[in-house]
Amino acid sequence: MSTSSRLSLPPQGTRKTRSIQLQTFSSDWGYPVWQRIPDISFILILSREKVKDFPKYCVINLVTHQFPGAYIVMKTTAEVGDEVPFTTRELFARLIQCEAGGEGDNGMAAVASVIGNRSRIPYGEFARISQGGDIRRIIEQTGQFVCMRDVVGGQYNPQNVYNMDPQEIHYQIADWVMSGNTMSAVAECLFFFNPYSNQCPTYFPPNGIGVAFNRINEHCFYRPTQKYAET
């Protein structure tokens, strides 16, 4: 980033009095903006192509007449140095888009239903992870969703939730599942994956804790076996 593009952080102070302060950004990085918003340490408005350079920050779609098609990137003063967490609804909507955005409404609802099923099953690994039905803990479980990682195999992964731009349908599906609904087409399935072939393997994961139940568009869906109950 050039010198003219660097952030000017506000002076030390209380969370209630600290305000946004930005220097003017070069035209290729974003737009100059000066505002006062309590509890925010800095905020940067970026064009779409620059959002990928800030995968660790809270990226929110911003649609205004002043900044059409732009995004904002921000951190709270309480969490400078850490990621600003999305709400669970926002995170779920982004995950739905990331995992199944090209699968149509039914495909997205099916994937979201599996995530909801994991949060509600009363036994096995996912019951321990959800700790009573916390879907956010399911979403953030380590090693479950590539879309939750911005680095895979030591390389930057652009297909992650931070780079998503969820639309109304993604929020609607997230709300529907978070209200306790699930698609009958996936029943109590706990696993899904895209085999990139016309045939779904009988078991997934390979350790046999899921057995093939249905296919919706490109994804195969798997019900838990007795082996899952032992996890």
Side-chain angles (χ1 to χ4, degrees):
M1 187 182 293
S2 63
T3 302
S4 61
S5 302
R6 290 176 181 167
L7 289 168
S8 177
L9 293 179
Q12 294 296 318
T14 66
R15 294 185 67 221
K16 292 184 178 180
T17 60
R18 189 177 290 192
S19 63
I20 293 172
Q21 294 189 14
L22 295 181
Q23 294 180 341
T24 300
F25 297 97
S26 59
S27 59
D28 63 322
W29 270 92
Y31 307 87
V33 59
W34 293 83
Q35 297 184 39
R36 291 186 64 87
I37 301 179
D39 299 340
I40 301 296
S41 59
F42 59 84
I43 183 170
L44 166 62
I45 297 180
L46 296 172
S47 55
R48 179 186 295 270
E49 64 270 17
K50 291 299 180 182
V51 170
K52 66 180 185 299
D53 296 307
F54 292 83
K56 285 287 188 181
Y57 291 72
C58 182
V59 182
I60 305 173
N61 189 25
L62 178 68
V63 182
T64 69
H65 294 296
Q66 293 84 3
F67 306 107
Y71 291 74
I72 60 175
V73 180
M74 65 183 182
K75 282 193 173 185
T76 66
T77 57
E79 296 174 340
V80 173
D82 299 318
E83 289 183 31
V84 174
F86 293 123
T87 65
T88 299
R89 180 178 187 255
E90 177 72 22
L91 184 62
F92 195 12
R94 287 169 175 267
L95 184 60
I96 291 167
Q97 182 185 30
C98 188
E99 290 285 345
E103 297 292 292
D105 292 3
N106 285 341
M108 291 189 292
V111 164
S113 292
V114 167
I115 297 169
N117 286 348
R118 290 185 179 188
S119 72
R120 292 187 287 269
I121 192 167
Y123 62 92
E125 175 186 0
F126 297 128
R128 291 196 306 276
I129 294 297
S130 74
Q131 295 186 4
D134 187 343
I135 198 169
R136 189 184 189 96
R137 293 181 63 87
I138 294 296
I139 291 171
E140 295 180 335
Q141 183 182 0
T142 302
Q144 292 299 305
F145 303 108
V146 173
C147 283
M148 291 297 295
R149 292 178 281 170
D150 55 14
V151 176
V152 177
Q155 300 295 317
Y156 175 65
N157 169 37
Q159 187 70 11
N160 67 65
V161 293
Y162 302 103
N163 290 342
M164 294 297 104
D165 181 18
Q167 305 302 307
E168 184 62 26
I169 184 60
H170 305 113
Y171 294 108
Q172 289 175 354
I173 293 171
D175 291 341
W176 181 74
V177 171
M178 290 173 69
S179 295
N181 299 292
T182 193
M183 280 186 72
S184 59
V186 299
E188 70 272 22
C189 287
L190 297 179
F191 310 97
F192 67 88
F193 91 114
N194 184 343
Y196 296 98
S197 72
N198 294 327
Q199 186 173 0
C200 294
T202 301
Y203 296 101
F204 181 84
N207 60 3
I209 60 176
V211 63
F213 175 74
N214 198 1
R215 181 169 187 150
I216 300 175
N217 298 330
E218 298 300 317
H219 282 105
C220 302
F221 293 84
Y222 293 79
R223 300 172 81 167
T225 64
Q226 181 57 39
K227 283 188 176 181
Y228 167 76
E230 299 167 0
T231 61

